Amino acid sequence: MSQQDTRAMLAEALASVAPEADFDTLREDEDLRDALELDSMDFFNFIVAVHKATGIDIPERDYPKLTTLAGALAYLAR
Amino acid sequence: MNEFRMPSLGADMEAGTLVEWKVAVGDRVQRGEVVALVETDKGIIDVEIFTEGVIESLCVQPGETLPVGTVLAQLSGAGAEAEAEAEGTPPPEPARPAKRDGAAPAVVHQHPDADTPTATDALGADTHATVGARRRATELGIDVMQLTGTGLDGRVTLADVEVLAGFANGDTVVQLPAEPATDTRDTPAAAMRRAIAAAMTRANRDIPHYALFRDVDLSRALDWLTAHNEGLPPDQRLLPAALLAKACALGLRRVPTLNAYWIEGDLQPVESVHLGWAISLRGGGLVAPALHDADRLPLPELMHRLADLVGRARRGGLRSSELSEATCTVTSLGDRGADGVVGVIYPPQVALIGIGRIAPRPRVVGDAVVPRPQATVSLMGDHRASDGQTGGRLLDIIDDLLQEPERL
């Protein structure tokens, strides 16, 4: 998956948990949970969506690495 | 002939806008079938029907905004009455008192300026005013039918009569906004704000709340959760919320006084535990849909339903039964909120369970002070319906259950 594809996939995953969010104004280093007001259930749904789209198993201990856009892009590019 | 009316999807709903019919004239409908999409200030809701029959006529067109109780469609069909009486279904006739387990209270609201035959028909003499209000009104020579109620589902309450009679202490008259949901100047968020304001003002005025607290050690629950989740794919993992919800639901089953409705001065316990789960919406406001039979759901199923409920609260697609059938609500602040919460009970429920942020805090264990992940669990009770001892028992049970997570 190219970085562009990954970005699009993340946008879609975030849109599914925060439909009213404006993805374009999201800064790469911003904490998604703060910027998009995600609660723990929303973040869970986001991780599930990313897992379904990529097939990558994301262990719970790695969740903190996916709390920013930059972090998620780096993590999924490994 | 049966009528399908605009349902009341909670004490804070006054009206809804028909978005789309999911059925046509001549269609046979089954209990629980989604027949219409209705827009409320909680989003677009899938509205279910609880009578069986054939659609004879659709009385309103998409786009119309209608007060709760308005007839939307006429149905015919054998067995419709019997079906309507079945356990666990909301009453089809808004004028019927709700004394049934699992059922939402009778859905009647007197629209302040609704004097059409339809609206009048929906208001039986029995439901227009509470017993106390009728008695007091008779004493004072006031005709309750001329009053606009601010009580549950628009009933005239004793307080309404007293206000009119000038006996109320204070000079502030609490008046519901005339047409909160239908005011075209309102954004949906503003309409929701006003609906919540009306419902919470009424709840805070009518319900004598008491509040209890318990600091619960969650180290065992969280350790168990980590071990449980290890090796499972993301969609099968559990969140602490699932354990907390299950503990609350099991606790409520054992303290039925708190899993109940307060209607017309009567405590009406509900056999099923339909746990309301408060979800704060990003546009402002909140919604607390029911997790049906939460006490009977195995944890993985409960987690799945909870995640689905939150997802649909965001995207749309909550069902009318989910919005009207909660028997006790839980407001959980998650891991990033405040340490504790004192909330307002959502009528006609009689209790509200609050769960503060889970965070490491010092705890005395034996002779030592040790850091432990803890949450302050609070219980708001309606003092008309229960006393502090009952509330304390629920907190005890919830705490005990969370010390043995493998049994949840």
Side-chain angles (χ1 to χ4, degrees):
Chain A
M1 203 182 266
S2 72
Q3 203 196 34
Q4 203 174 350
D5 290 345
T6 306
R7 191 179 279 275
M9 181 275 298
L10 288 172
E12 202 171 314
L14 287 170
S16 73
V17 299
E20 66 294 315
D22 186 357
F23 192 73
D24 296 331
T25 62
L26 187 67
R27 292 200 325 269
E28 291 221 340
D29 58 345
E30 244 177 325
D31 191 316
L32 297 169
R33 297 167 299 175
D34 291 331
L36 306 178
E37 294 178 51
L38 306 185
D39 66 17
S40 55
M41 200 62 72
D42 295 323
F43 192 72
F44 170 86
N45 282 334
F46 166 66
I47 296 284
V48 169
V50 171
H51 167 69
K52 283 203 172 132
T54 62
I56 297 173
D57 181 49
I58 307 161
E60 270 191 316
R61 61 180 171 278
D62 289 347
Y63 285 5
K65 296 177 184 164
L66 284 94
T67 52
T68 64
L69 206 51
L73 285 167
Y75 185 85
L76 297 170
R78 290 185 316 166
Chain B
M1 185 72 74
N2 263 305
E3 287 161 340
F4 170 65
R5 295 171 187 265
M6 177 65 74
S8 169
L9 307 174
D12 49 2
M13 172 167 163
E14 303 264 322
T17 304
L18 179 68
V19 173
E20 185 185 336
W21 281 112
K22 292 296 209 182
V23 290
V25 170
D27 285 359
R28 172 164 286 281
V29 294
Q30 304 291 333
R31 272 181 56 200
E33 191 172 330
V34 173
V35 295
L37 300 187
V38 168
E39 181 162 26
T40 71
D41 40 48
K42 289 171 186 164
I44 294 178
I45 307 301
D46 294 359
V47 176
E48 301 144 294
I49 195 162
F50 289 95
T51 52
E52 202 177 74
V54 175
I55 304 287
E56 287 278 301
S57 65
L58 302 177
C59 313
V60 300
Q61 296 301 313
E64 291 186 57
T65 298
L66 306 142
V68 167
T70 307
V71 175
L72 303 180
Q74 308 267 6
L75 288 91
S76 67
E81 285 295 327
E83 284 293 332
E85 285 298 328
E87 193 189 351
T89 59
E93 299 283 339
R96 199 170 296 167
K99 292 245 178 191
R100 224 166 282 118
D101 279 349
V107 285
V108 180
H109 174 74
Q110 189 200 16
H111 199 245
D113 50 11
D115 53 3
T116 61
T118 305
T120 313
D121 288 349
L123 292 163
D126 288 338
T127 55
H128 180 69
T130 63
V131 177
R134 279 203 300 274
R135 193 177 298 143
R136 185 79 179 121
T138 307
E139 280 172 22
L140 295 167
I142 295 171
D143 179 3
V144 287
M145 295 308 283
Q146 302 306 314
L147 299 184
T148 297
T150 61
L152 178 68
D153 298 324
R155 287 194 191 99
V156 176
T157 64
L158 184 56
D160 294 329
V161 177
E162 298 286 12
V163 166
L164 183 82
F167 290 109
N169 50 4
D171 46 13
T172 50
V173 177
V174 181
Q175 199 80 54
L176 288 178
E179 285 191 40
T182 58
D183 192 327
T184 49
R185 291 166 305 170
D186 266 359
T187 61
M192 173 177 252
R193 198 67 257 155
R194 288 212 290 173
I196 293 173
M200 292 297 100
T201 300
R202 202 164 66 215
N204 212 38
R205 183 194 63 199
D206 292 349
I207 302 175
H209 288 70
Y210 64 81
L212 306 167
F213 306 91
R214 170 69 77 100
D215 286 334
V216 178
D217 183 348
L218 291 171
S219 48
R220 284 183 193 204
L222 296 184
D223 287 349
W224 181 86
L225 205 63
T226 305
H228 173 90
N229 287 345
E230 190 65 42
L232 287 179
D235 56 343
Q236 289 176 35
R237 292 176 196 151
L238 303 176
L239 288 183
L243 297 186
L244 296 166
K246 185 69 184 287
C248 292
L250 288 173
L252 286 166
R253 184 161 79 192
R254 285 164 60 185
V255 189
T257 310
L258 298 176
N259 188 67
Y261 295 136
W262 182 262
I263 295 171
E264 305 243 342
D266 275 330
L267 179 69
Q268 298 175 10
V270 185
E271 210 162 285
S272 309
V273 179
H274 302 317
L275 201 68
W277 190 259
I279 300 164
S280 99
L281 301 177
R282 294 192 193 92
L286 75 160
V287 60
L291 201 58
H292 286 100
D293 297 306
D295 58 326
R296 295 207 288 255
L297 298 176
L299 280 177
E301 175 69 13
L302 189 150
M303 177 64 206
H304 177 73
R305 298 249 200 119
L306 209 48
D308 175 57
L309 207 57
V310 173
R312 284 185 292 120
R314 306 283 184 227
R315 295 188 302 270
L318 289 175
R319 293 170 79 97
S320 51
S321 58
E322 291 170 331
L323 285 180
S324 58
E325 290 176 0
T327 55
C328 181
T329 296
V330 175
T331 178
S332 171
L333 305 181
D335 50 2
R336 294 156 66 78
D339 289 333
V341 52
V342 174
V344 178
I345 296 168
Y346 190 68
Q349 296 168 31
V350 297
L352 175 80
I353 302 170
I355 303 171
R357 172 173 75 112
I358 300 173
R361 274 187 263 158
R363 190 173 184 97
V364 175
V365 178
D367 288 335
V369 177
V370 293
R372 286 279 173 92
Q374 296 176 73
T376 301
V377 180
S378 57
L379 187 277
M380 266 58 61
D382 181 337
H383 220 327
R384 297 171 303 179
S386 69
D387 303 318
Q389 184 164 11
T390 307
R393 198 147 49 87
L394 179 65
L395 290 181
D396 269 348
I397 295 170
I398 291 172
D399 191 347
D400 286 350
L401 287 166
L402 288 167
Q403 302 316 312
E404 294 182 89
E406 63 284 349
R407 291 178 56 197
L408 285 172

